[in-house]
Amino acid sequence: NAGVTQTPKFQVLKTGQSMTLQCAQDMNHNSMYWYRQDPGMGLRLIYYSASEGTTDKGEVPNGYNVSRLNKREFSLRLESAAPSQTSVYFCASSGSGQGALQPQHFGDGTRLSIL
Amino acid sequence: AQRVTQPEKLLSVFKGAPVELKCNYSYSGSPELFWYVQYSRQRLQLLLRHISRESIKGFTADLNKGETSFHLKKPFAQEEDSAMYYCAPTTYSTLTFGKGTMLLVSP
């Protein structure tokens, strides 16, 4: 049972470089989410996708773009990385029906450092 | 605006002591309440949700709608309970996490 799989696990970028973080889930969930986790800030929602073909901004979307490629995959792109985007990024998914009222299942995270 | 507050960044107790991790929220409507836990080197996972009325690993959480609180409690803490705990009120549109409380249980 893979659940939610994120790649890569670690990445170091230079300021201005671009990168796509990949996320896939094998639980047939409709909803998928991207969060960032920073010390003292908890988890903050970047973008979410309530269903295939839809995406919506969360609390901190600036500097990011997302693509819901299909029901399984939800990618997060940094077009021009900035040091302020150094963080741990978590992808999550939740079941269908009542959408966000279902518990979320998380990936292991991607630790991203931007120099 | 939706808001959730976990007032303690760190809670340190001895094994066998009671534990209460506080969570207060300010939300429009009636959110569903969740507690998530992140053990060292593990992924974030659901601990319990209010609607289930369950006791997971000895933890319970009481929803007080008047005070808009959802505190997590355990009568006798164990060393393996050491982890980061997040309170997460949820509506149909999204989920907001508190900033988390680190629980350290010492022998």
Side-chain angles (χ1 to χ4, degrees):
Chain A
N1 284 341
V4 178
T5 303
Q6 290 182 234
T7 55
K9 293 190 184 304
F10 304 94
Q11 186 69 48
V12 179
L13 295 177
K14 294 182 180 179
T15 297
Q17 287 185 313
S18 61
M19 166 143 198
T20 300
L21 308 185
Q22 306 289 349
C23 176
Q25 52 92 8
D26 62 3
M27 296 171 284
N28 201 34
H29 285 167
N30 278 342
S31 302
M32 298 186 73
Y33 310 81
W34 275 105
Y35 294 90
R36 58 178 291 173
Q37 184 183 41
D38 301 291
M41 301 295 290
L43 274 79
R44 291 181 293 170
L45 183 65
I46 303 171
Y47 271 93
Y48 67 100
S49 170
S51 62
E52 185 178 355
T54 69
T55 59
D56 287 284
K57 295 179 180 179
E59 182 184 354
V60 288
N62 291 345
Y64 305 95
N65 285 301
V66 290
S67 295
R68 184 72 184 268
L69 304 171
N70 48 55
K71 191 171 186 179
R72 289 187 65 250
E73 299 173 288
F74 188 39
S75 62
L76 178 72
R77 183 162 178 82
L78 287 71
E79 291 290 351
S80 179
S84 61
Q85 294 177 304
T86 293
S87 187
V88 181
Y89 291 85
F90 287 98
C91 178
S93 70
S94 65
S96 59
Q98 292 186 319
L101 293 182
Q102 297 300 312
Q104 299 200 353
H105 299 256
F106 287 83
D108 286 330
T110 296
R111 190 173 295 274
L112 183 61
S113 293
I114 299 160
L115 308 177
Chain B
Q2 320 288 35
R3 187 176 301 168
V4 54
T5 303
Q6 293 181 248
E8 305 116 340
K9 287 185 178 180
L10 173 65
L11 187 60
S12 185
V13 301
F14 288 105
K15 178 182 174 181
V19 169
E20 182 179 54
L21 289 81
K22 293 183 170 59
C23 172
N24 297 94
Y25 64 94
S26 172
Y27 252 69
S28 55
S30 297
E32 174 62 35
L33 280 303
F34 295 83
W35 276 98
Y36 288 82
V37 61
Q38 189 174 25
Y39 300 102
S40 179
R41 298 189 183 86
Q42 293 187 28
R43 61 180 63 183
L44 201 69
Q45 58 187 285
L46 176 70
L47 178 62
L48 59 79
R49 58 186 301 187
H50 168 253
I51 197 170
S52 300
R53 300 284 198 275
E54 293 173 308
S55 175
I56 306 295
K57 299 184 178 183
F59 284 97
T60 58
D62 295 326
L63 175 61
N64 186 321
K65 288 189 176 182
E67 295 180 359
T68 58
S69 67
F70 189 54
H71 303 330
L72 185 68
K73 301 178 182 180
K74 185 169 183 176
F76 307 104
Q78 303 299 314
E79 291 179 67
E80 55 266 29
D81 296 328
S82 295
M84 193 74 174
Y85 291 81
Y86 293 96
C87 178
T90 303
T91 66
Y92 280 104
S93 59
T94 191
L95 174 151
T96 302
F97 281 85
K99 293 183 178 180
T101 297
M102 172 67 76
L103 174 64
L104 292 177
V105 182
S106 304

